[in-house]
Amino acid sequence: MQALEQEKEHLTAENEGLTAQIAEARADIQLLKDDKEQAVKDKEEAEKRAEKAEKDLHSLEERRERLQLVMDNVSKEIKEYGTVKTLLPEAGALERATTYRDKKIKPLFTQVKNKIAAMAAQVKELAEEVEKWKHKYQKTKQAYNQI
């Protein structure tokens, strides 16, 4: 009887140990389930960010294409006006130099000066726009690569 009592105490202690191990295992399982749920949420969020980054990249590429058309037009204008045409209006037979300068050369000079200033401003504006888009593209590309 004493042996059975000892056996019973031993089994009870072993049972309590196993119960504690089961409780720890259940707690570990719950932690793993929580980690899995968080990982699934993180994955979904990362996929959404990747999708948004892809859309942003596509949008940037479309804008770059539109800007490329503008830049091509500017390049064409620069090529057209890049070479100074040496065609000056002819002076009249008895026209004085000051009259020729005031009536023909100054308006032509003002017109050329205004055209150059407008083109310079447009080039500067387009260069700033290109830099802005390059910077935004790099940020989006980095975010996309991180995802």
Side-chain angles (χ1 to χ4, degrees):
M1 190 127 160
Q2 190 177 12
L4 286 175
E5 283 292 325
Q6 286 179 351
E7 182 72 24
K8 178 183 169 189
E9 287 177 17
H10 174 67
L11 288 176
T12 303
E14 192 175 317
N15 188 23
E16 288 174 1
L18 290 174
T19 303
Q21 286 179 350
I22 289 171
E24 287 177 18
R26 285 185 179 157
D28 289 344
I29 288 171
Q30 187 59 42
L31 286 175
L32 289 174
K33 283 181 182 178
D34 293 345
D35 288 347
K36 179 184 173 188
E37 288 175 11
Q38 186 62 40
V40 168
K41 287 178 185 176
D42 290 345
K43 178 187 170 207
E44 290 171 356
E45 187 178 312
E47 286 174 348
K48 287 178 184 176
R49 285 195 311 250
E51 190 174 308
K52 184 182 182 304
E54 190 69 33
K55 286 179 183 177
D56 289 347
L57 181 62
H58 183 68
S59 174
L60 286 174
E61 287 174 353
E62 287 176 355
R63 287 180 177 174
R64 183 188 59 80
E65 289 173 7
R66 286 189 297 231
L67 282 176
Q68 187 61 44
L69 292 174
V70 173
M71 291 299 288
D72 290 343
N73 287 338
V74 169
S75 295
K76 181 181 171 187
E77 284 186 29
I78 288 173
K79 285 179 185 175
E80 270 183 36
Y81 296 106
T83 57
V84 177
K85 296 180 181 178
T86 56
L87 301 175
L88 294 177
E90 291 292 325
L94 297 174
E95 190 172 15
R96 299 186 65 167
T98 55
T99 307
Y100 177 73
R101 182 190 70 209
D102 291 341
K103 295 199 181 220
K104 294 181 180 173
I105 300 297
K106 278 189 178 181
L108 181 64
F109 179 74
T110 304
Q111 181 183 6
V112 169
K113 187 172 99 175
N114 290 340
K115 188 76 157 174
I116 289 172
M119 287 174 52
Q122 191 176 18
V123 166
K124 183 178 178 183
E125 181 181 319
L126 288 172
E128 289 172 356
E129 185 77 16
V130 166
E131 286 303 316
K132 183 176 94 175
W133 284 112
K134 279 182 183 178
H135 183 67
K136 190 170 183 177
Y137 173 76
Q138 291 299 327
K139 279 181 149 180
T140 304
K141 186 177 177 183
Q142 287 175 351
Y144 179 75
N145 287 337
Q146 287 176 350
I147 290 172

